[in-house]
């Protein structure tokens, strides 16, 4: 597992992912103390380990499950106006209150994954078109 410098990775455990499974992942302390952890927490620990072993620093910032749209954009390093555009088009459920526009972190992460996948597919298609000899 590689960590990319300056690239945030947001991990969120849904309710069903917070369960500890007997015989599952375990943290072992320096004095042999053992603590069973959910499988997704193990993924987080592997990410942190990979970053640190690459000589990178790691910042851990707890986030609420519902954020203002600006906080959510900052968490995934998306331009705030771009995230607002997705919300205005109905691609991201939003709840407005007198204190601001709110989004569920899970919805933001799903949107970000979809946007990244679409972007990668578009780049792949462009690379394939470029390599086909078209336009030469």
């Amino acid at each position: 597992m590689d960590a990319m410098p300056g690239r945030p990775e947001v991990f969120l455990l849904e309710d069903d992912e917070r369960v500890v499974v007997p015989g599952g992942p375990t943290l072992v302390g320096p004095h042999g103390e053992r603590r069973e952890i959910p499988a997704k927490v193990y993924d987080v620990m592997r990410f942190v380990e990979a970053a640190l072993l690459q000589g990178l620093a790691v910042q851990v910032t707890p986030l609420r499950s519902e954020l203002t749209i600006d906080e959510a954009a900052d968490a995934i390093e998306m331009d705030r106006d771009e995230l607002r555009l997705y919300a205005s088009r109905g691609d991201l459920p939003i709840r407005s209150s007198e204190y601001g526009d709110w989004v569920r972190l899970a919805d933001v992460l799903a949107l970000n994954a979809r946007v990244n996948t679409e972007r990668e597919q578009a780049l792949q298609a462009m690379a394939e078109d470029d390599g086909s000899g078209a336009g030469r």
Side-chain angles (χ1 to χ4, degrees):
M1 175 178 287
D2 288 329
M4 298 291 291
R7 176 92 170 99
E9 188 71 35
V10 179
F11 295 92
L12 175 67
L13 273 67
E14 297 294 336
D15 290 339
D16 63 334
E17 295 175 313
R18 294 183 187 141
V19 177
V20 173
V21 178
T26 305
L27 285 178
V28 180
H31 302 293
E33 63 272 19
R34 301 177 68 80
R35 179 181 179 97
E36 291 182 337
I37 58 174
K40 198 160 186 181
V41 172
Y42 177 76
D43 294 339
V44 174
M45 299 307 296
R46 288 195 55 214
F47 179 85
V48 169
E49 175 197 32
L52 293 173
L53 290 176
Q54 290 175 39
L56 302 171
V58 175
Q59 174 180 331
V60 177
T61 306
L63 299 171
R64 296 178 311 279
S65 61
E66 188 177 56
L67 302 169
T68 66
I69 198 159
D70 290 344
E71 290 172 328
D74 293 346
I76 62 170
E77 290 193 350
M78 181 182 283
D79 182 78
R80 291 174 174 188
D81 290 335
E82 183 180 1
L83 191 58
R84 286 184 181 283
L85 176 63
Y86 286 116
S88 71
R89 293 190 332 203
D91 294 330
L92 178 65
I94 190 167
R95 178 181 67 84
S96 294
S97 76
E98 62 185 286
Y99 302 107
D101 296 325
W102 297 84
V103 292
R104 285 180 6 102
L105 181 57
D107 293 338
V108 172
L109 295 176
L111 171 71
N112 193 47
R114 190 173 76 240
V115 167
N116 287 337
T117 298
E118 291 169 358
R119 202 171 276 149
E120 288 172 19
Q121 290 172 344
L123 288 172
Q124 183 65 33
M126 287 173 48
E128 290 171 2
D129 288 347
D130 188 46
S132 68
R136 290 183 189 191

